[in-house]
Amino acid sequence: MQWNGPRLFRTILYPALALVVPTPCTGCREMLGPRQVLGYCPACWADVQPDRYDPGNPSECAATVYAGLSREILLEAKFRDRPELFRPMGLRMAALCRIIGLDRGLDLVAAVPAHPLTRIRRGYNPARELARHVARELHLPLAGTGLRRKLLHLSPLKAAGRKRRQVKAVAAFTAPAGRFRGRRILLVD
């Protein structure tokens, strides 16, 4: 049984269990009550703040600062088999898109494809999970498998700066001719 997966468990059984057997918040370690959200207290979720963005170039933005609790939640979702955590993160991404007006005129949402071996190991693509929630919240279609990796052995970009990652990303992915031509796409990574 996936502990945070089934709706019945999240909405009925967990709140009842939390009263009898309280658990600590994954973020701040304070004891959780029935008002927790996927193992985090409301105060911790409130700390997941939007990243700054450049008003002169709103086409590039991050939903949260990749540090502190935001980073921990994302890493837990990706590496500890907690894909349900992508929903609250995706809702934050969609909210930021609305705030800065990035959602205006969009045609669809697409996810950066995961490396095939990573996809097999995890069973899902984290970027696609985020994109799925963003697309649903913005009432936009989610692109299928149109975007593909050209380079399967892309060197890790975790330590690279923003500019270097942009250059590498342009060289790493391709789409069938005309697949996205003339369309405004929100690309989620």
Side-chain angles (χ1 to χ4, degrees):
M1 177 177 179
Q2 186 180 4
W3 289 106
N4 283 317
R7 183 177 171 89
L8 174 69
F9 185 83
R10 282 195 320 263
T11 58
I12 297 171
L13 296 177
Y14 187 87
L17 275 171
L19 293 173
V20 179
V21 185
T23 58
C25 170
T26 308
C28 66
R29 310 307 296 164
E30 292 290 324
M31 295 309 281
L32 289 172
R35 292 188 41 141
Q36 64 88 25
V37 178
L38 301 172
Y40 292 88
C41 68
C44 281
W45 278 112
D47 284 344
V48 178
Q49 295 296 316
D51 194 1
R52 293 179 306 269
Y53 70 95
D54 178 5
N57 187 13
S59 64
E60 295 176 16
C61 64
T64 63
V65 178
Y66 187 66
L69 187 59
S70 299
R71 182 178 182 274
E72 289 301 316
I73 291 171
L74 187 59
L75 292 177
E76 184 165 339
K78 287 173 69 172
F79 299 113
R80 294 185 194 100
D81 197 27
R82 298 280 314 274
E84 68 276 6
L85 291 172
F86 290 120
R87 183 176 185 278
M89 297 298 277
L91 295 178
R92 281 171 170 68
M93 291 176 94
L96 180 63
C97 287
R98 281 194 185 108
I99 289 168
I100 65 174
L102 191 59
D103 62 327
R104 290 186 214 118
L106 285 177
D107 296 310
L108 65 120
V109 177
V112 169
H115 189 283
L117 294 177
T118 302
R119 171 89 170 82
I120 290 168
R121 187 180 74 240
R122 283 193 186 122
Y124 60 89
N125 174 359
R128 184 156 177 84
E129 290 300 307
L130 280 170
R132 187 168 56 88
H133 295 294
V134 172
R136 184 177 298 139
E137 185 68 15
L138 295 178
H139 307 289
L140 292 168
L142 179 62
T145 56
L147 193 58
R148 290 193 168 63
R149 281 182 171 267
K150 284 195 295 189
L151 305 172
L152 289 181
H153 298 290
L154 186 64
S155 59
L157 298 177
K158 294 175 183 152
R162 180 179 227 157
K163 290 292 181 193
R164 182 161 185 254
R165 285 161 49 156
Q166 286 174 335
V167 169
K168 291 281 231 175
V170 167
F173 304 105
T174 186
R179 170 83 163 104
F180 298 118
R181 182 160 294 148
R183 301 177 86 182
R184 256 191 97 204
I185 301 164
L186 175 64
L187 184 63
V188 176
D189 184 16

